[in-house]
Amino acid sequence: TLYQALLSAVHVNGGKSIVAEDPEFKPLPYKRLVTGSIVLGDKIANRTEKGENVGVLLPNSVGAIVTFFALQAYGRVPAMLNFSAGAQALASACKTAQLKTVLTSRRFVELGRLEEIIDEIAKHAEIVYLEDIKAQIGFMDKIDGLLANPAKMHRKLDIKPSDPAIILFTSGSEGM
């Protein structure tokens, strides 16, 4: 699975190696990516079902990477939504992918002036803000994430490499 590939990359590169950096120049080491995926993934898993398609409406950032792997860790299928597609196209994407939940960020919505898009998506799926999930993460959640065995946890979910891993949409030029 993609998550198993991430864990293999940690083994090869080391947990302190930087895997990504976003426009805000926040370096993301592998260890923090894995720990974040476990902690955030657990909170998302409480709201969703294994195998469920979950919308991701985020900028290209460290937060998006952690969210993507949080979904992967717990067997959820991220449906990557491109905010530049417009409200109608995103509503159509939500229907097509049968999304019940879309993860986004208040800060992203505000900075991008995406309120109209969010209002349209909200007609088809529940909007969940990562800031709200972050507020629910306590000290013990972080300790549990640090002490977790990600490989064992992921293996217990019996996710197969042949299971759906991600939903990507085209520009829409081919229609629905």
Side-chain angles (χ1 to χ4, degrees):
T1 67
L2 293 175
Y3 198 73
Q4 290 166 328
L6 169 64
L7 298 177
S8 293
V10 173
H11 180 72
V12 169
N13 297 294
K16 293 181 181 180
S17 295
I18 303 300
V19 64
E21 191 171 323
D22 65 17
E24 294 183 358
F25 303 106
K26 293 181 183 173
L28 179 65
Y30 278 102
K31 178 68 175 165
R32 202 168 91 218
L33 172 56
V34 172
T35 301
S37 71
I38 295 296
V39 174
L40 178 61
D42 182 59
K43 296 296 182 189
I44 295 170
N46 289 332
R47 309 176 79 106
T48 59
E49 300 293 323
K50 181 181 168 203
E52 183 177 329
N53 301 335
V54 178
V56 177
L57 181 65
L58 294 169
N60 294 327
S61 65
V62 164
I65 295 167
V66 174
T67 302
F68 176 84
F69 280 108
L71 292 166
Q72 292 289 316
Y74 287 85
R76 279 48 178 182
V77 182
M80 307 308 288
L81 302 173
N82 182 349
F83 71 94
S84 69
Q88 295 306 317
L90 288 173
S92 176
C94 289
K95 286 187 259 181
T96 301
Q98 301 174 354
L99 303 180
K100 296 181 202 171
T101 306
V102 173
L103 304 172
T104 192
S105 159
R106 278 194 183 83
R107 182 170 180 238
F108 176 57
V109 171
E110 289 171 12
L111 290 174
R113 297 184 178 117
L114 304 176
E115 292 83 0
E116 183 180 310
I117 288 174
I118 292 299
D119 290 344
E120 189 62 34
I121 292 173
K123 295 176 185 175
H124 308 282
E126 176 188 9
I127 304 296
V128 175
Y129 294 98
L130 292 175
E131 292 91 344
D132 296 341
I133 294 176
K134 186 177 179 182
Q136 297 170 3
I137 296 172
F139 179 73
M140 287 310 297
D141 295 312
K142 293 175 184 178
I143 295 297
D144 289 345
L146 286 169
L147 298 177
N149 181 334
K152 184 176 180 181
M153 185 251 357
H154 187 69
R155 200 170 31 254
K156 277 185 177 179
L157 292 169
D158 195 33
I159 302 163
K160 296 175 180 40
S162 58
D163 290 344
I166 186 170
I167 297 173
L168 295 173
F169 295 95
T170 66
S171 65
S173 60
E174 299 298 316
M176 211 161 137

